[in-house]
Amino acid sequence: MTGSPSPSPAAPGPGSSSGAAGPPTGGPRRLVSRAATGAALLLVGALTVSVSPATAAPEGAAADPLARYHRQHLDWKSCVLRPDDETGKELRKAGARCADVTVPLDYAEPDGRTLTVAISRIRATDTGRRVGALLLNGGGPGGQTIGDPPWVRTSMKQVGERYDVVGVDPRFVGRSSPLDCRWPTGSFARGAGTDRSGFDRMVALAKDLAARCRTNRGDLLPYASTRNTARDMDVVRAALGERRISYLGYSYGTYLGQVYATMFPGRTDRVVLDGVVAPDRYNPRQLRGTERANRHALEGWADWAAARDGTYGLGRTRAEVLAVLDGVQAAAGRTPLLIGDHRVDEHVLPVVVFSGLSQDNDAAYADLAQALRDMRRAADGHPVTPSPGFADTLSFLLDGSASAYGSAQAAILCGDVAAPRSPEVYWRDVERARAQDPLFGPVTQNIGPCAFWDPPRERPTKIRDDLPALLVNATGDPRTVHANALTVRRMWPSSRLVTLRDADQHAVYGVFGSDCVDTTVNSYLATGHLPPTDVTCDRGSK
């Protein structure tokens, strides 16, 4: 959704994963897993009222209403919050330190209520050639990024020594004053079902999720938006003492980067946007139009599974594997499949499959194959203990452990762009899409809580006409389709596009393992010079 549901069944946009279904647009696999499965565990950085930053603004700075935020002193400390904090331990091992940045809840009332935005930083070691700070966003919206500097720093190789690599959990996400509506699920993504009664159940679910947010976190909802996240980023920039920042954003994070560069011209240095969201297509119904790419990814996965029939027993040809899936889908439509303690019905099964198709690699494909094998056994009446990745996905979708993730994602999407309010609009779209793709169409076109949300407080950002940025996208990306990257490339003639060919992959740099892509990005980060022309990388040119 950025979202996505998520990157993989072992993982839901868009932020990166082994764990659960998540964002509309999702994010790199490693980012999403942490966001999806860890969101409910990292509820720290509580909302505070009228907390002043550590350092007051100097005399004469009154012209800047945000001076006390821009000039605040950051208290850098250990990233480990408690003994079982694996993210904090990874950060500590990589030499990172963490701090909380104070920002206003409402930028129109900077002297009022405040939030904390949690950041992590691995400092540059080549100080003589230091470029500056590289801020990260792993997508979602709703994905945590605070834990990503270690693997991004590794992907940057030697050029990473010249940057302070900074992870930021956006407002209301993870460690940053989290917004939790007490949902019974980690994602609003569902299939619409096979008939009108099934769709009506999804209307009721969407209405209930919106009502839970209004009841439990109505005080925060008006301030959840990409524009406010961008404003927070600029406070982080100033608090770090940087005149300009470089930026690496994945999936939804590419839209955030576009908004930041538009709202704060002249404050970006080197910008990399991977898994590109086209601004004219950014809205709560972000997944519309991805059906064909997801079907292509599904067929590629079916070929992979057929070549491993001895391991998974799903069939020896693509057609046989897809027939197994069709049979399991039909069975779930008749009676929910009992998988461990969970029931997988016609609304959940398509999301399990959808979530398994954002990463084009053996590990993600194996997770989906194991999930389908488990569901087939359940359809045949056997007791099933789900495989670990499938168990994580089911927990994400069917209990409240990741409520904070889905809550924040919906709050940002609904707070950015208004959605159609009539259920009939969605029903007509579902019926049209079902005729073309009965598995994915009812997911991508389905109604969500934004149909029952209060209108956004601000109009969507009109993205600037041009920016010299490096865009990255795979041709078969099933979340942010390649056409999105082509759209932004046309909008920004001074940018360059790096295309990974013949990969059904969402998020490429540092994730897929393409030497061609990684070298191109690292050369740009090292020199600040974009390639003279667009670059195409073959899947096999590792």
Side-chain angles (χ1 to χ4, degrees):
M1 231 179 282
T2 320
S4 33
S6 75
S8 99
S16 353
S17 157
S18 90
T25 53
R29 180 177 177 88
R30 275 167 279 190
L31 286 83
V32 172
S33 64
R34 225 170 251 142
T37 60
L41 302 178
L42 298 176
L43 303 186
V44 297
L47 185 70
T48 55
V49 179
S50 297
V51 174
S52 298
T55 303
E59 225 176 309
D64 177 7
L66 300 177
R68 69 189 186 104
Y69 299 99
H70 289 158
R71 299 174 183 273
Q72 65 185 289
H73 170 74
L74 299 184
D75 178 20
W76 294 98
K77 54 189 181 298
S78 171
C79 298
V80 181
L81 300 179
R82 55 190 171 275
D84 63 347
D85 180 7
E86 295 303 320
T87 296
K89 291 176 183 177
E90 289 182 22
L91 287 164
R92 180 174 62 189
K93 183 178 179 181
R97 301 285 284 174
C98 287
D100 290 326
V101 180
T102 304
V103 300
L105 172 66
D106 182 356
Y107 277 85
E109 299 288 344
D111 294 327
R113 196 174 178 184
T114 65
L115 306 171
T116 57
V117 170
I119 66 174
S120 61
R121 179 177 68 179
I122 300 176
R123 302 205 71 166
T125 54
D126 187 353
T127 55
R129 297 192 300 160
R130 180 180 180 275
V131 176
L134 175 69
L135 268 62
L136 312 177
N137 183 276
Q144 289 185 252
T145 304
I146 198 167
D148 294 331
W151 73 260
V152 171
R153 172 67 183 78
T154 298
S155 301
M156 295 173 73
K157 299 183 179 178
Q158 282 192 321
V159 70
E161 299 171 1
R162 300 173 56 196
Y163 283 87
D164 290 354
V165 183
V166 180
V168 182
D169 275 359
R171 62 167 50 201
F172 306 138
V173 170
R175 302 188 182 195
S176 297
S177 303
L179 184 158
D180 187 351
C181 300
R182 302 178 192 170
W183 280 7
T185 179
S187 175
F188 61 79
R190 292 292 188 275
T194 57
D195 55 23
R196 181 64 194 230
S197 63
F199 174 74
D200 288 343
R201 286 194 294 273
M202 294 303 95
V203 173
L205 173 65
K207 188 178 297 185
D208 176 64
L209 296 178
R212 287 173 184 258
C213 281
R214 193 172 294 112
T215 298
N216 295 311
R217 294 277 59 176
D219 59 327
L220 301 183
L221 298 184
Y223 311 105
S225 70
T226 299
R227 288 178 64 82
N228 277 334
T229 300
R231 293 175 177 118
D232 294 345
M233 279 177 55
D234 203 56
V235 171
V236 170
R237 173 201 61 77
L240 290 172
E242 302 288 343
R243 187 173 63 85
R244 297 194 299 170
I245 55 170
S246 294
Y247 179 78
L248 168 62
Y250 292 92
S251 195
Y252 161 79
T254 68
Y255 179 69
L256 173 60
Q258 294 169 50
V259 171
Y260 179 81
T262 299
M263 292 178 65
F264 299 98
R267 295 191 186 163
T268 56
D269 185 2
R270 300 164 200 190
V271 175
V272 180
L273 306 180
D274 188 332
V276 183
V277 173
D280 62 340
R281 295 189 59 82
Y282 175 78
N283 60 65
R285 308 182 73 192
Q286 184 101 341
L287 295 176
R288 299 177 73 203
T290 66
E291 299 86 1
R292 182 178 298 180
N294 278 283
R295 177 58 57 173
H296 184 272
L298 179 65
E299 291 172 348
W301 166 81
D303 290 338
W304 181 94
R308 293 158 180 80
D309 181 58
T311 301
Y312 302 106
L314 299 174
R316 297 182 180 181
T317 66
R318 174 196 294 182
E320 289 177 357
V321 173
L322 294 178
V324 170
L325 175 57
D326 290 342
V328 170
Q329 183 185 10
R334 293 189 296 270
T335 305
L337 310 177
L338 184 60
I339 310 284
D341 295 330
H342 298 292
R343 295 180 180 273
V344 176
D345 62 13
E346 60 183 326
H347 305 293
V348 171
L349 185 147
V351 179
V352 170
V353 178
F354 184 89
S355 297
L357 293 173
S358 74
Q359 301 297 297
D360 188 345
N361 60 52
D362 287 348
Y365 280 2
D367 285 340
L368 181 53
Q370 290 166 351
L372 181 55
R373 184 178 60 183
D374 289 345
M375 290 189 289
R376 183 172 70 170
R377 282 181 52 78
D380 290 339
H382 299 293
V384 174
T385 298
S387 57
F390 190 23
D392 285 344
T393 297
L394 293 178
S395 178
F396 183 89
L397 288 172
L398 297 174
D399 66 41
S401 60
S403 167
Y405 180 88
S407 301
Q409 180 172 98
I412 295 165
L413 286 170
C414 304
D416 279 343
V417 184
R421 303 194 72 82
S422 171
E424 298 308 314
V425 171
Y426 301 89
W427 174 243
R428 288 194 296 269
D429 289 346
V430 164
E431 288 291 88
R432 280 195 293 264
R434 189 198 311 281
Q436 300 298 318
D437 196 311
L439 179 65
F440 296 125
V443 175
T444 60
Q445 306 287 339
N446 199 16
I447 195 167
C450 296
F452 304 100
W453 218 264
D454 291 340
R457 296 184 83 207
E458 297 185 80
R459 296 177 64 84
T461 305
K462 187 178 186 307
I463 300 301
R464 60 184 292 168
D465 291 337
D466 195 15
L467 181 75
L470 189 63
L471 315 176
V472 182
N473 229 94
T475 54
D477 187 335
R479 294 296 174 271
T480 52
V481 297
H482 190 250
N484 289 350
L486 296 175
T487 295
V488 176
R489 175 67 178 87
R490 287 191 293 270
M491 286 173 50
W492 291 355
S494 62
S495 67
R496 295 292 181 269
L497 173 60
V498 182
T499 296
L500 175 64
R501 190 159 51 190
D502 299 326
D504 299 323
Q505 172 70 27
H506 182 52
V508 179
Y509 170 70
V511 180
F512 183 74
S514 167
D515 284 346
C516 174
V517 172
D518 292 357
T519 298
T520 303
V521 173
N522 286 337
S523 175
Y524 168 60
L525 292 174
T527 65
H529 299 305
L530 290 166
T533 61
D534 292 343
V535 176
T536 299
C537 297
D538 291 328
R539 177 194 179 97
S541 59
K542 297 271 185 172

